[in-house]
Amino acid sequence: MPGYPNTPFPSKPFYSCDASGLAVMDQADMPQLLRGGDVDTWMRLEAGEGNAIDGTPLKIEDQQGARVTVACENGMIEIDFEEETIKKTDEAGRDYVYMGPLDEANEGNGWMPLR
């Protein structure tokens, strides 16, 4: 996965949500856009069945340090980039944990219920 774990989590992350997933970039790289360049994605979490992002991400609900909460069409996903954990609360309030490490977020490992 690009960026992870070879470079540290950006000190000022920028998130982009779209139907294909969630991109994490470093805000320090954003001036490159103004010069007509491209910005490298630090990490891309692809939307897909069984992936860490298993529905369309809609917006970033909260961010505290390296922990981000993503509102998705089918619930809330909490990603802790430092602890390398991924948790989900679905629309019915049920809690799950992703059954793989962060570097396998796009591998379709699926979710295990916590209750």
Side-chain angles (χ1 to χ4, degrees), residues 21-36:
L22 172 72
V24 182
M25 295 164 272
D26 191 336
Q27 282 186 24
D29 295 339
M30 292 302 174
Q32 293 178 51
L33 287 176
L34 298 174
R35 294 188 295 267

Side-chain angles (χ1 to χ4, degrees), residues 2-3 14 18 28 33 36 39 42 46 52 68 71 73 85-86 96-97 103:
F14 176 82
D18 62 32
L33 287 176
V39 174
W42 179 79
E46 298 172 4
V68 64
E73 66 181 343
T85 59
I86 309 163
Y96 301 84
V97 64
D103 63 344

Side-chain angles (χ1 to χ4, degrees), residues 50-110:
N51 285 355
I53 303 290
D54 61 351
T56 301
L58 305 173
K59 67 177 183 171
I60 301 303
E61 197 67 35
D62 186 44
Q63 182 201 346
Q64 295 187 19
R67 185 179 310 147
V68 64
T69 303
V70 184
C72 295
E73 66 181 343
N74 56 353
M76 302 292 273
I77 307 288
E78 182 183 292
I79 306 165
D80 190 323
F81 291 99
E82 256 181 36
E83 297 293 323
E84 302 178 18
T85 59
I86 309 163
K87 298 175 187 172
K88 173 173 79 170
T89 302
D90 69 12
E91 59 276 354
R94 295 176 295 235
D95 294 322
Y96 301 84
V97 64
Y98 186 68
M99 293 184 4
L102 185 59
D103 63 344
E104 292 181 11
N106 299 329
E107 301 297 318
N109 292 329

